Amino acid sequence: MSKLSRKQAGSGPRIPLAKRAAEIPAGALGSLRRKAADCRACPLWEHATQTVFGEGPASAAVMLIGEQPGSREDLEGRPFVGPSGHLLDQALHDAGLDRSALYITNAVKHFKFASRGKTRLHQRANAGEQAACRRWLAAELLRVKPRLLVGLGAMAAQTMFGNAFRISHERGEWRELAPDTRGLATWHPSALLRLRYAQERDARYAELVGDLQRVARALDAG
């Protein structure tokens, strides 16, 4: 997909999200949320409980972009309210960031899962499903116009920086996305929760907090 030109995106970040500006829904965040609730651009809506749109101030200077909702998010209709959200809240606190001042969203807005009895097992959205959802993230970016972006996990990082980005090698590095916008990627909290050994979890958590501290310092620097 081609990048949004500056003429198309205004002062927003230049991220490869949509081929044409006409594909990006317009409106305030409340209007966008209502429109996204009726999205049928990919099959994920058929089994998900609801669309999980982003939340936070329309004037937020920092936007956190996760990967896709989990089971708890699907039920509550809010991003990062399950186990990974609780870990993210702790990391934000330890980094000196106030969640209520941030805009938090996901690259994909519906929960994808496979049923195993009464259990819903998370599945990664495929490339087509990710692509279908990018217009909603593009709309959020153009409405909020954050100056700092944080990609949580590989899917969000590659949405921001392209498929060649490798979070294992380029985590925590600022990249310019527009004259007044830069972003970095870090671990997704759910990746930490899946780690088997406490020592490794602690090390990754320290890296996550360290990356968020970089965001806090950049925010304070103006």
Side-chain angles (χ1 to χ4, degrees):
M1 288 191 174
S2 60
K3 292 187 178 181
L4 292 171
S5 69
R6 293 190 64 187
K7 181 179 180 181
Q8 292 170 325
S11 60
R14 294 182 305 228
I15 298 178
L17 294 173
K19 292 180 179 179
R20 296 180 297 274
E23 296 178 349
I24 303 174
L29 290 175
S31 175
L32 292 171
R33 185 175 291 106
R34 290 189 294 273
K35 292 176 183 177
D38 294 325
C39 183
R40 303 291 185 266
C42 80
L44 294 185
W45 69 273
E46 297 180 22
H47 302 290
T49 303
Q50 58 193 312
T51 302
V52 181
F53 204 71
E55 65 178 19
S59 59
V62 179
M63 180 182 287
L64 270 60
I65 304 173
E67 298 188 330
Q68 57 192 71
S71 182
R72 178 53 53 185
E73 289 78 11
D74 171 71
L75 295 173
E76 295 192 22
R78 299 179 56 214
F80 285 96
V81 293
S84 65
H86 296 155
L87 186 59
L88 176 62
D89 287 345
Q90 183 61 52
L92 291 171
H93 176 271
D94 290 347
L97 289 167
D98 179 4
R99 173 169 173 151
S100 67
L102 313 175
Y103 189 88
I104 301 180
T105 191
N106 282 300
V108 173
K109 311 300 189 194
H110 282 116
F111 178 40
K112 182 176 183 178
F113 62 94
S115 295
R116 296 291 184 271
K118 295 183 179 180
T119 302
R120 301 192 302 174
L121 301 178
H122 173 277
Q123 289 190 319
R124 180 183 175 89
N126 63 37
E129 292 158 347
Q130 293 178 45
C133 215
R134 283 177 185 151
R135 62 191 186 116
W136 297 113
L137 179 57
E140 290 174 300
L141 285 164
L142 294 178
R143 178 63 184 86
V144 179
K145 291 185 172 60
R147 57 186 178 86
L148 301 173
L149 293 177
V150 181
L152 299 171
M155 181 192 297
Q158 291 178 355
T159 297
M160 290 168 57
F161 303 128
N163 291 336
F165 186 92
R166 293 294 177 265
I167 197 167
S168 57
H169 295 96
E170 300 169 277
R171 176 195 56 79
E173 298 177 3
W174 286 113
R175 291 191 173 202
E176 297 298 321
L177 295 168
D180 299 317
T181 309
R182 54 181 171 153
L184 62 75
T186 188
W187 305 118
H188 194 290
S190 65
L192 277 62
L193 295 174
R194 292 193 297 268
L195 294 173
R196 181 176 179 182
Y197 299 108
Q199 184 175 4
E200 187 177 5
R201 286 196 303 272
D202 291 345
R204 289 284 177 89
Y205 180 78
E207 291 173 344
L208 171 61
V209 171
D211 293 337
L212 293 174
Q213 287 174 333
R214 291 184 177 91
V215 177
R217 289 194 294 270
L219 186 60
D220 290 340

